[in-house]
Amino acid sequence: MGEPLLCEISVPGRAGFRFPEADVPLEKLPEAFLRHELPMPELYEVDVVRHFTRLSQLNHSIDTGFYPLGSCTMKYNPKVNEEVARLPGFAFTHPLQPVETVQGNLVVMYELQEWLKEIGGFAGVTLQPAAGAQGELTGVLIIRTYHAWRGESQRDKILIPDSAHGTNPATSGMSGMRVVEIKSDPRGNVDLEALRAECDETLAGLMLTNPNTLGMFDENVLEVIRLVHQAGGLVYGDGANLNALLGIVRPGDLGFDVMHYNLHKTFSTPHGGGGPGSGPVGVAAHLVDFLPGPLVGIIEEGDEAEDYPPLYGFVYPARSIGRVKAFHGHFGMLARAYTYMRMHGREGLRLISDYAVLNANYLQARLRDTYHIPYDRVCMHEFVAEGRWVDAPDIHALDIAKRLMDHGFHPPTNYFPLIVHEALMIEPTETESKQTLDAFADALIEIAREARENPEILKTAPHRTPVGRLDEVKAAKELVLCCAVSTAGA
Amino acid sequence: MYFPHTPQEREAMLATVGVEHLEDLFQAVPAAHRFPELKLPAALSEMEALLEMQSYAWANSNTRELVCFLGAGAYNHYIPAAVDAILRRGEFYTAYTPYQPEISQGTLQAIFDYQSLITSLTGMEVSNASHYDGATAVAEAVSMAYSNFRGKRNQVVLSPGLHPHYRQTVHTYNDDAMLTFAGEDVDIHAGPETLLLHINENTALVIVQYPDFFGRIFDYTALAEAVHQAGALFAVSVNPLSLGLLRPPGEFGADIVTGEGQPLGIPLSFGGPYLGIFTTRKEYVRKMAGRLVGETTDNRGQRAYVLTLTAREQHIRRERATSNICTNQGLVALASAVYMSLLGKQGLRQVAELCYHKAHYAARRINKLRDYQLWSKAPFFNEFVVRCPAPVAEINEHLLSHGILGGYDLGEDYPELQEHMLIAVTEMVTKEDIDDLVDVLGEVDHG
Amino acid sequence: MDFPKDLKYTKNDEWVRLQGNSATIGITDYAQNQLSDIVFVEIIVAVGELVKQGDSCTTVESVKAAADVYMPVSGKITAINEALPDSPETINSDPYGAAWMVKVEIADPAEAAELMDAAAYQASVESRE
């Protein structure tokens, strides 16, 4: 049986948590504003702890198994990061405290800004955006504001490759830009002819994920960037796939004007079942003034001779697009990412990408005889295989994904990118061992055999998970989205 | 560093791939830019890294060392130990977004629990799985209202009592002149009736805060009626902890209730990660952005949970999505669900009352000081504004020397409120702490 | 897959039944098949409204996709299928009959003349596969 809901284990009169009694004289409560019913559950601490502990046991997680999810970079989340984020000096500081009382926090943020600049090859970095998608929005707003400032607000067209993550066109749409899709060529690069045709005076920019969602490093990236710049546009880099490029190449050196980082991908901060993430944005020199504020800067120089350190504080860029959220960013995630970077250093960062790319190519080599790889060249940190076979016409990528769960693996990303049929996008990350990769490859090869010999077992998979395939149509039609205490039986 | 590869394994893998050197895998990268030397320090071991981060943390003064009277959108509340114990379970915090529901029932049901708790607390009908924070939730409400009227109404009324950061965020998101904004310059001393004259047939949305940025509680019933008469939507941004005591906006006409969930068991953490609350009425559910967990059954007849109405989201609608939100604040929503469960009906009321009584005790005592005066006579929850005899920065410096973190300097955001301090009081503050505050404030005079 | 010969079609997978100056509009069997189980439909135009060719008149959602239905011709809306939002699955079971969406009084007959016939539409569908 499944775990009941909180509203179902609530018992009237139960209390879980006691506060001390008021030590001040009681003020008359504001009658006109008082709430008469508070339909919240009444639970005992043990019930709450057991409820959530048992729920956790229904989850797959990095701590329990492999997640070869393309473009998600599900690498190991170091436990020391959790210690750091919880240090009282970090966890209990208020965002609006006087800067003199939080120099430790500001140094961490300042250093992180500097590290991200160096890694990406950028002149300025903001740590404010809450996630990659918000980083994208920040980037597109910077591009739009930049063109308007230069008197070119007719530039409203954003070009997006057909392999792009859905957040790219969604972001552009949200920002009021016109989206034009650019197709990929047979080798998985941006089609240069298609690109040239769109380079006109309405071009605001190109959003490019490189390596792209096929795991391919664009073989013409310099030409792509040159064409866009020549037409007066800017190039936005979706940094979701940065795990392939640390110490390998700096997007800023290639000519990217603005790029977001995903700290919850490349820099090991945990996914949390759907966040929180953090999406810092780096920009080239000509865009530094437009960054969201506040940034962390040195507001009073120190003196090395006298041995007193600089004073860090908040600075506002001259032509800032403004705030993208309250306060200054997800500090808890920034502290984790910074710790991770310090433990890798310049050599370690390079090794991350070395091993991420080696692991992906190794898996691709192990699987290419069993699964069709449509773009069969050296991949970067991920590759895409087709989840279908001519001689097993009833089997789709979905069935393969569900059967993988019976082997204890989370499936790869399914049905994305849209340009590959029955896509399985596989990204092992550098923290997985050869044993894990071999076990995964073996499982996929076994599933390929089952597809021909025993397709029913795939069609009805998963069998060994807490629940089986779910009725998504029923969920969307009946729309039961919450459970209220009062309706759940006294 | 986290690389399992032994030199032998590395060689074997390179052989399987069919290249001699790992560098050969990067041929597609333009040679001139390949393998840059990163000007960064060498690696630290875990021990060294932790000690270094500890030294940074110790360089700060935190709200467990100082007595905290600072609020302004982030509050120093007690977090029961069980919250973090649950959050530290690797099955929760290292899990991915629950796109494969068969192996994500923990995350999915926990979010469903969260959605249930938040809708009950706000008096609304549906909640999403979270937004980034209170500010972006308000920006999303604006977007939702605009899309609800299909662009036919393009004016939004923003109360000046809405947090300055939230208003700034809304302006950043709407810099393209598709919408006009009104209301931010009305007299802040007056009540919500000042917004009425800005509401017209072009208004898509009116947004207020409850309690407002200055801590005040207003009766928004008449305003809500006027908004609906004009055919517009009414949104309220809340401090959810206050709803343990106060009538929820769902009961006085809100169509959308957003808020900042940080007070519900989320550490201050220098500003984030926090929790954007977003709720609405069932009729608007398809217009709401963000993830939604719904109940269903599996092919074995069991009750189970799944992400639903995903056709609204970015990965399907792409450029026609109303929002690009993907990663949100999943683990933070879980934390708030554990907090709300532990406190429950009785605890949520109790903590709200403690904040209320302690704040009123502080306000009464400060108001009696010769050189300080309460700025407003309006009812308030746990924050209030005080006119001070000297610049707030100076007073706060003096308070710090006594181990007290003073309130927010309103002169930063409201030019007419120089020398006015916004003071917050939570259950973490004792009567002695308040008495000390009053004594130290009394040492500062017009001199 | 069904391609009734008495109907006209658009490249966006709408069908049109022309009767004199009136056109009835819905989405094709191919479209409902691509979308799979439809869970929601909302008709966003009202009777009496003037619409242009290309305006969105209906939104349709399944568990895996969302789509807009566009007006194949301009004109004045004369009827909308009020029963359809209560049973979206009709689009899957009877796309050409009970799942009609809107009726419109045609403003410009030239637009109607440009619509594809069944053979042309079927060919366009097959070339997409």
Side-chain angles (χ1 to χ4, degrees):
Chain A
M1 268 319 297
E3 181 63 26
L5 295 166
L6 291 169
C7 58
E8 291 168 338
I9 56 178
S10 168
V11 175
R14 270 252 231 285
F17 191 80
R18 241 190 75 238
F19 284 96
E21 292 299 309
D23 55 355
V24 295
L26 298 186
E27 181 79 19
K28 187 173 181 313
L29 293 174
E31 285 304 318
F33 293 103
L34 284 185
R35 159 167 220 162
H36 297 295
E37 270 174 41
L38 182 52
M40 300 295 278
E42 294 172 83
L43 303 159
Y44 168 51
E45 180 165 331
V46 175
D47 290 335
V48 174
V49 170
R50 284 191 180 148
H51 173 81
F52 285 104
T53 302
R54 287 196 293 246
L55 284 183
S56 78
Q57 292 168 336
L58 300 173
N59 268 1
H60 186 88
S61 61
I62 297 179
D63 280 2
T64 52
F66 184 36
Y67 264 99
L69 277 167
S71 280
C72 295
T73 313
M74 295 295 287
K75 63 175 73 183
Y76 175 67
N77 306 133
K79 303 312 168 203
V80 63
N81 290 355
E82 299 307 307
E83 290 300 313
V84 167
R86 287 165 169 83
L87 291 170
F90 291 144
F92 298 127
T93 44
H94 190 291
L96 301 173
Q97 286 182 219
V99 296
E100 293 80 8
T101 63
V102 284
Q103 287 295 297
N105 291 344
L106 294 170
V107 168
V108 168
M109 289 177 73
Y110 183 85
E111 287 299 309
L112 181 61
Q113 284 170 184
E114 295 299 299
W115 278 63
L116 288 174
K117 283 189 217 170
E118 179 64 15
I119 288 168
F122 291 108
V125 160
T126 171
L127 302 175
Q128 205 181 81
Q134 212 194 28
E136 287 177 37
L137 180 68
T138 302
V140 173
L141 290 176
I142 288 175
I143 290 173
R144 197 181 73 195
T145 309
Y146 174 78
H147 288 309
W149 174 69
R150 296 180 84 240
E152 298 197 47
S153 4
Q154 85 284 355
R155 292 184 180 275
D156 67 343
K157 180 168 64 176
I158 297 275
L159 302 177
I160 298 179
D162 53 9
S163 57
H165 191 278
T167 52
N168 289 179
T171 300
S172 305
M174 262 176 95
S175 320
M177 307 299 267
R178 227 178 356 121
V179 172
V180 171
E181 200 176 77
I182 296 283
K183 62 182 171 61
S184 307
D185 73 12
R187 283 183 66 78
N189 305 313
V190 169
D191 186 303
L192 289 174
E193 275 318 303
L195 176 61
R196 263 186 211 107
E198 293 291 345
C199 283
D200 57 28
E201 70 284 346
T202 66
L203 180 61
L206 166 75
M207 291 181 88
L208 184 64
T209 308
N210 188 44
N212 63 20
T213 56
L214 300 165
M216 309 273 108
F217 191 95
D218 197 304
E219 291 164 318
N220 310 311
V221 68
L222 290 176
E223 179 63 7
V224 166
I225 293 175
R226 194 192 66 77
L227 283 170
V228 173
H229 284 164
Q230 192 180 59
L234 296 175
V235 181
Y236 178 88
D238 181 324
N241 290 333
L242 195 64
N243 212 45
L245 303 184
L246 300 170
I248 305 297
V249 69
R250 306 188 324 160
D253 293 344
L254 295 174
F256 281 87
D257 301 286
V258 48
M259 182 184 90
H260 82 265
Y261 305 76
N262 296 71
L263 297 188
H264 49 292
K265 295 186 182 191
T266 320
F267 298 103
S268 88
T269 75
H271 276 72
S278 177
V281 171
V283 296
H286 47 283
L287 297 177
V288 166
D289 284 344
F290 298 90
L291 282 169
L295 308 176
V296 177
I298 292 175
I299 57 179
E300 262 172 47
E301 293 296 333
D303 190 328
E304 280 209 43
E306 298 287 315
D307 196 30
Y308 71 79
L311 182 70
Y312 295 86
F314 292 111
V315 297
Y316 290 82
R319 280 176 257 280
S320 173
I321 60 169
R323 297 185 153 277
V324 294
K325 67 184 300 295
F327 309 121
H328 5 276
H330 286 175
F331 182 78
M333 316 323 285
L334 305 179
R336 288 173 170 90
Y338 184 66
T339 307
Y340 177 79
M341 286 180 196
R342 290 298 270 129
M343 288 199 299
H344 284 78
R346 60 173 173 267
E347 281 99 20
L349 290 171
R350 164 70 188 272
L351 289 174
I352 290 171
S353 292
D354 275 350
Y355 285 123
V357 171
L358 176 62
N359 276 0
N361 279 282
Y362 177 72
L363 262 185
Q364 184 175 248
R366 285 228 42 206
L367 290 172
R368 69 157 48 88
D369 293 332
T370 318
Y371 287 79
H372 176 57
I373 315 269
Y375 297 89
D376 198 354
R377 56 177 173 99
V378 167
C379 65
M380 298 293 277
H381 66 311
E382 65 189 5
F383 66 97
V384 181
E386 275 188 11
R388 63 175 183 175
W389 299 277
V390 173
D391 60 339
D394 286 333
I395 298 298
H396 302 287
L398 180 74
D399 306 307
I400 299 167
K402 300 300 181 192
R403 186 58 174 156
L404 269 170
M405 294 185 212
D406 288 333
H407 290 265
F409 298 112
H410 190 283
T413 308
N414 265 177
Y415 296 106
F416 182 77
L418 303 173
I419 54 176
V420 173
H421 289 296
E422 304 295 332
L424 294 167
M425 195 197 328
I426 297 170
E427 177 186 357
T429 84
E430 74 285 1
T431 58
E432 297 300 333
S433 69
K434 184 172 177 297
Q435 281 79 10
T436 306
L437 300 181
D438 283 332
F440 180 68
D442 291 342
L444 277 173
I445 292 167
E446 166 76 6
I447 289 172
R449 190 187 60 74
E450 282 180 335
R452 278 83 170 200
E453 294 175 16
N454 188 6
E456 259 319 287
I457 204 166
L458 299 191
K459 302 294 298 174
T460 52
H463 305 281
R464 304 204 200 113
T465 50
V467 301
R469 291 206 201 187
L470 284 101
D471 189 343
E472 298 192 21
V473 173
K474 175 173 163 163
K477 288 187 72 177
E478 293 181 16
L479 272 193
V480 176
L481 303 171
C482 61
C483 160
V485 172
S486 54
T487 60
Chain B
M1 303 198 206
Y2 303 94
F3 313 119
H5 308 73
T6 65
Q8 294 82 357
E9 285 171 336
R10 200 184 132 115
E11 288 316 304
M13 292 168 80
L14 283 169
T16 304
V17 173
V19 296
E20 224 184 299
H21 307 288
L22 224 167
E23 300 79 68
D24 298 342
L25 295 173
F26 296 104
Q27 290 301 313
V29 179
H33 303 287
R34 215 184 293 159
F35 310 137
E37 203 188 288
L38 297 177
K39 295 185 195 52
L40 293 170
L44 297 179
S45 64
E46 177 182 307
M47 185 176 87
E48 292 165 308
L50 181 62
L51 292 173
E52 181 177 280
M53 296 307 279
Q54 262 178 1
S55 71
Y56 290 136
W58 284 334
N60 298 329
S61 303
N62 68 69
T63 58
R64 295 294 151 97
E65 299 164 325
L66 302 170
V67 179
C68 179
F69 290 98
L70 180 57
Y75 301 93
N76 185 39
H77 290 288
Y78 180 73
I79 303 172
V83 174
D84 202 42
I86 299 296
L87 284 195
R88 290 198 83 153
R89 291 192 67 85
E91 299 96 323
F92 274 134
Y93 83 89
T94 72
Y96 182 61
T97 311
Y99 288 130
Q100 298 288 353
E102 297 89 342
I103 48 178
S104 315
Q105 286 299 297
T107 298
L108 287 163
Q109 190 172 331
I111 297 173
F112 190 87
D113 276 332
Y114 163 79
Q115 288 171 187
S116 304
L117 292 163
I118 283 289
T119 45
S120 294
L121 191 59
T122 56
M124 299 299 280
E125 291 169 355
V126 296
S127 167
N128 73 8
S130 70
H131 215 288
Y132 304 131
D133 71 349
T136 51
V138 168
E140 200 65 65
V142 169
S143 194
M144 178 170 150
Y146 182 73
S147 131
N148 181 60
F149 293 106
R150 295 184 204 286
K152 296 197 177 71
R153 286 173 177 247
N154 56 16
Q155 186 246 38
V156 169
V157 178
L158 295 178
S159 161
L162 185 62
H163 196 299
H165 289 189
Y166 295 16
R167 289 185 282 116
Q168 287 163 31
T169 301
V170 167
H171 287 298
T172 304
Y173 271 57
N174 291 285
D175 187 32
D176 52 1
M178 304 260 283
L179 282 171
T180 55
F181 292 92
E184 290 177 86
D185 52 0
V186 303
D187 176 14
I188 50 177
H189 215 293
E193 62 281 356
T194 49
L195 295 175
L196 290 170
L197 47 90
H198 288 285
I199 302 172
N200 55 52
E201 71 279 352
N202 205 24
T203 304
L205 184 70
V206 176
I207 312 174
V208 296
Q209 188 170 307
Y210 177 75
D212 76 357
F213 184 63
F214 308 106
R216 299 174 300 180
I217 311 165
F218 288 116
D219 182 353
Y220 291 126
T221 317
L223 179 63
E225 275 162 18
V227 173
H228 291 142
Q229 282 265 354
L233 295 177
F234 184 51
V236 182
S237 171
V238 296
N239 171 350
L241 199 104
S242 71
L243 300 182
L245 187 67
L246 304 178
R247 274 180 78 210
E251 285 180 22
F252 54 76
D255 301 295
I256 300 172
V257 176
T258 61
E260 175 50 68
Q262 180 272 328
L264 300 175
I266 315 305
L268 285 168
S269 196
F270 201 49
Y274 288 168
L275 175 62
I277 292 171
F278 200 105
T279 66
T280 187
R281 304 231 168 260
K282 221 164 181 190
E283 65 191 277
Y284 300 114
V285 68
R286 290 186 149 77
K287 308 240 157 47
M288 179 171 70
R291 302 217 167 93
L292 268 179
V293 173
E295 195 176 279
T296 185
T297 46
D298 77 346
N299 62 6
R300 305 175 204 163
Q302 300 178 118
R303 183 176 69 181
Y305 298 90
V306 70
L307 291 176
T308 191
L309 293 196
T310 49
R312 299 159 303 125
E313 294 187 62
Q314 47 78 24
H315 58 291
I316 291 180
R317 298 225 70 159
R318 295 175 74 91
E319 69 268 16
R320 283 165 315 159
T322 55
S323 169
N324 68 354
I325 190 167
C326 183
T327 296
N328 44 86
Q329 305 296 97
L331 197 72
V332 192
L334 171 65
S336 76
V338 179
Y339 180 86
M340 287 187 276
S341 312
L342 284 169
L343 265 65
K345 175 171 164 164
Q346 296 183 45
L348 287 165
R349 171 82 182 217
Q350 196 187 9
V351 70
E353 283 195 17
L354 284 173
C355 292
Y356 182 84
H357 293 305
K358 292 181 191 240
H360 283 74
Y361 174 71
R364 284 190 181 281
R365 287 219 56 204
I366 293 171
N367 201 35
K368 286 203 177 73
L369 289 171
R370 189 194 60 184
D371 298 318
Y372 294 78
Q373 197 183 36
L374 288 183
W375 173 71
S376 168
K377 291 190 170 45
F380 63 92
F381 173 57
N382 75 331
E383 262 182 306
F384 53 91
V385 178
V386 171
R387 202 200 63 215
C388 302
V392 173
E394 270 175 43
I395 298 181
N396 279 338
E397 215 181 295
H398 186 66
L399 287 170
L400 261 182
S401 68
H402 287 265
I404 300 172
L405 189 58
Y408 184 67
D409 185 354
L410 287 168
E412 305 254 335
D413 301 290
Y414 300 88
E416 65 271 59
L417 292 180
Q418 301 297 325
E419 300 193 357
H420 284 70
M421 184 191 288
L422 177 66
I423 295 176
V425 184
T426 69
E427 78 285 3
M428 297 280 292
V429 162
T430 65
K431 179 174 176 294
E432 285 69 37
D433 293 330
I434 298 171
D435 292 337
D436 286 342
L437 170 71
V438 172
D439 290 341
V440 177
L441 285 176
E443 291 169 4
V444 180
D445 57 25
H446 286 287
Chain C
M1 195 123 315
D2 240 354
F3 302 92
K5 296 207 178 350
D6 61 322
L7 301 176
K8 296 288 191 195
Y9 300 86
T10 69
K11 64 174 169 52
N12 289 322
D13 308 313
E14 290 105 12
W15 58 261
V16 187
R17 179 173 287 119
L18 294 169
Q19 287 155 312
N21 202 30
S22 166
T24 307
I25 291 143
I27 65 171
T28 65
D29 192 22
Y30 172 74
Q32 70 77 19
N33 187 263
Q34 288 292 300
L35 288 166
S36 88
D37 299 279
I38 294 179
V39 295
F40 180 75
V41 58
E42 189 184 7
I43 301 175
I44 61 175
V45 293
V47 172
E49 198 173 319
L50 294 173
V51 290
K52 291 197 301 299
Q53 186 186 53
D55 282 351
S56 173
C57 65
T58 306
T59 57
V60 174
E61 267 179 43
S62 68
V63 283
K64 59 174 199 176
D68 289 308
V69 180
Y70 300 104
M71 291 300 302
V73 292
S74 317
K76 185 161 79 167
I77 303 290
T78 55
I80 63 175
N81 186 346
E82 313 237 0
L84 191 58
D86 293 325
S87 53
E89 61 279 359
T90 316
I91 299 178
N92 296 115
S93 57
D94 191 8
Y96 297 114
W100 66 272
M101 292 173 180
V102 301
K103 287 190 171 58
V104 63
E105 191 185 288
I106 299 173
D108 180 2
E111 286 174 346
E114 283 168 355
L115 297 168
M116 282 191 263
D117 66 12
Y121 177 63
Q122 184 168 0
S124 87
V125 161
E126 277 155 15
S127 73
R128 282 186 250 173
E129 284 295 281

